[in-house]
Amino acid sequence: MTASRRPTLLLILILLLTGCRGADVWRHTEIVPIQPGQTLHLRVAHAVNERLPRMTPEQLSTLLEATRNTALEHFGVHLEFSEITETSVDAVLALVPPKVRQVRMREIYDFKSGGGDHKRLVAGILHTLHERKTKLAEALAYARPYLPDTADPQSLQEFSVLLADVMLARLDDWRTIRANDGKPVLDETARNEWIFWDTVGYGELPYDLVITNQLLASAEYTAVEVHTAIRGGLTTGTTTFSRSSPLGSFVFWSTFPFTDTSAFSRSLRGGEDYAPSHAAALSGAYLAHEVGHLLFKFGHPFGAQACVMNPASMLRYREWHQQLDAQRCRIGSIPEMRVGAIPEIYNVEWLRMAHQP
Ligand SMILES: [Zn+2]
């Protein structure tokens, strides 16, 4: 859901083991300075999986309007969007360079075949908790309402085991959801895998924003955050490296959590479904969160409810939206709202691989 779902030091270790040059391979993208009142032009695509419900052109227009309004109110920038290019999920994922795909596949916990390494999953979560300097009490305060009643972890290690178990159990819930054709939404394809979406920008991606109706739910050995784990590995959106974007990054954005009316989605929304135009407007407002990562590299002020950059709890987007207050969350007012709080990184080795025939 975030720019901070990104490759981590653990990955660097993996790269070391696979013969790459370790920490040398990671670079920060440049921060493009943005002035108040500036107008930014974003190239937009809609990547469709025909098996799943999709937003209508009217909904997409409502969505982008809400993004525009929220970005102006909270960040003081004017967004212009291109005409929306319609494409397919498969066409977008086909942009991942084959050699980079091979390397990144190793980060995927295969929850479909049951061939995943549970210990490694726990270690990856623990690593990310340490990397984010997570305090157990604070993380528990955030996650407690969405954990089993009996959960009582006494250490980050125990918390990691708990998060892994909760994530895998809820991933199984995502597997029960059916598509338009009556078959599971999470099929044998890799369309749901965050790792591949996160790698598209190493190819020649001609968009800054890719909206998709795909359900993005998966488990990875790297970069699993608390808020993602408790949602069963569900990603709403991510801002990540793009070699062909003038901003150095692009956003991928799933409308599925806003439109899906399955019992499981509804339960994560606190018991409600959204009417179509409301789903579009909420999705657009929340997309401004990614715009904050994309343009300003803001972090996550967990619990600062006035801020667009505070991640929504589970799928409670309406609640998230009601709490926003631009006056109480100015740029620079708290550390996570400073420009450059989480700079984007990319892997030079993968970039080199992407250019090899
Ligand atoms: Zn985020």
Side-chain angles (χ1 to χ4, degrees):
M1 100 132 279
T2 69
S4 51
R5 289 201 71 191
R6 62 180 65 229
T8 63
L9 289 171
L10 183 69
L11 224 186
I12 293 168
L13 283 176
I14 293 165
L15 287 165
L16 269 173
L17 293 172
T18 55
C20 294
R21 287 168 298 129
D24 285 339
V25 299
W26 293 100
R27 300 264 193 286
H28 284 154
T29 56
E30 252 175 71
I31 294 178
V32 180
I34 311 265
Q35 304 305 323
Q38 191 172 333
T39 299
L40 283 306
H41 183 82
L42 302 182
R43 301 163 297 166
V44 187
H46 188 212
V48 176
N49 176 346
E50 297 290 352
R51 297 182 57 235
L52 307 182
R54 52 169 293 172
M55 283 198 177
T56 62
E58 293 72 30
Q59 279 179 293
L60 291 174
S61 158
T62 300
L63 185 156
L64 291 179
E65 186 62 30
T67 307
R68 199 167 13 232
N69 291 339
T70 310
L72 180 59
E73 192 185 349
H74 282 259
F75 307 142
V77 291
H78 299 273
L79 297 181
E80 278 180 3
F81 298 106
S82 69
E83 290 292 312
I84 300 174
T85 302
E86 179 152 336
T87 180
S88 68
V89 168
D90 293 345
V92 168
L93 294 183
L95 296 174
V96 176
K99 286 185 178 171
V100 187
R101 183 186 169 95
Q102 275 178 21
V103 173
R104 291 221 72 189
M105 273 179 78
R106 299 173 199 149
E107 292 174 63
I108 296 174
Y109 176 102
D110 181 4
F111 66 92
K112 293 176 184 168
S113 76
D117 180 341
H118 190 269
K119 250 176 121 170
R120 199 176 147 207
L121 184 67
V122 171
I125 292 172
L126 181 61
H127 181 88
T128 303
L129 291 175
H130 282 309
E131 200 179 46
R132 303 264 174 271
K133 300 181 172 49
T134 308
K135 296 193 176 65
L136 180 63
E138 285 172 16
L140 267 179
Y142 172 82
R144 176 79 76 193
Y146 313 111
L147 296 173
D149 291 340
T150 52
D152 189 25
Q154 298 297 313
S155 63
L156 285 180
Q157 164 66 32
E158 287 181 21
F159 188 44
S160 304
V161 174
L162 175 67
L163 286 176
D165 291 344
V166 165
M167 178 163 77
L168 294 178
R170 291 180 186 160
L171 259 174
D172 278 342
D173 288 324
W174 289 122
R175 295 182 81 183
T176 64
I177 299 179
R178 305 271 156 180
N180 296 338
D181 55 15
K183 295 183 185 140
V185 168
L186 294 182
D187 56 15
E188 72 289 352
T189 69
R191 291 169 186 147
N192 62 293
E193 294 291 346
W194 179 84
I195 285 288
F196 292 136
W197 285 88
D198 185 55
T199 313
V200 166
Y202 286 85
E204 281 295 346
L205 177 72
Y207 315 109
D208 308 301
L209 168 61
V210 180
I211 300 168
T212 181
N213 64 338
Q214 178 64 44
L215 166 60
L216 304 174
S218 55
E220 293 80 34
Y221 295 117
T222 52
V224 173
E225 308 244 8
V226 175
H227 58 280
T228 310
I230 60 178
R231 286 188 303 227
L234 178 122
T235 293
T236 318
T238 295
T239 305
T240 190
F241 174 70
S242 170
R243 79 188 208 207
S244 55
S245 165
L247 294 158
S249 310
F250 84 105
V251 172
F252 57 89
W253 188 252
S254 169
T255 56
F256 188 93
F258 300 88
T259 58
D260 180 48
T261 54
S262 69
F264 185 54
S265 285
R266 192 177 309 127
S267 72
L268 298 190
R269 259 186 234 116
E272 61 180 340
D273 289 333
Y274 305 133
S277 62
H278 195 209
L282 285 176
S283 184
Y286 198 36
L287 175 51
H289 175 107
E290 297 305 328
V291 171
H293 289 312
L294 179 70
L295 300 183
F296 301 104
K297 318 299 174 199
F298 292 141
H300 288 143
F302 280 101
Q305 297 171 342
C307 299
V308 164
M309 300 313 294
N310 173 42
S313 296
M314 308 306 268
L315 309 186
R316 293 163 174 257
Y317 303 111
R318 187 174 59 80
E319 183 181 283
W320 171 88
H321 187 246
Q322 280 174 335
Q323 294 166 336
L324 295 184
D325 184 348
Q327 303 302 319
R328 287 174 43 233
C329 188
R330 290 297 187 193
I331 292 176
S333 59
I334 44 177
E336 295 87 351
M337 287 298 296
R338 287 201 192 118
V339 176
I342 308 183
E344 205 65 59
I345 57 170
Y346 67 99
N347 185 301
V348 282
E349 195 67 21
W350 299 349
L351 204 50
R352 188 184 59 74
M353 286 177 187
H355 286 286
Q356 285 173 344

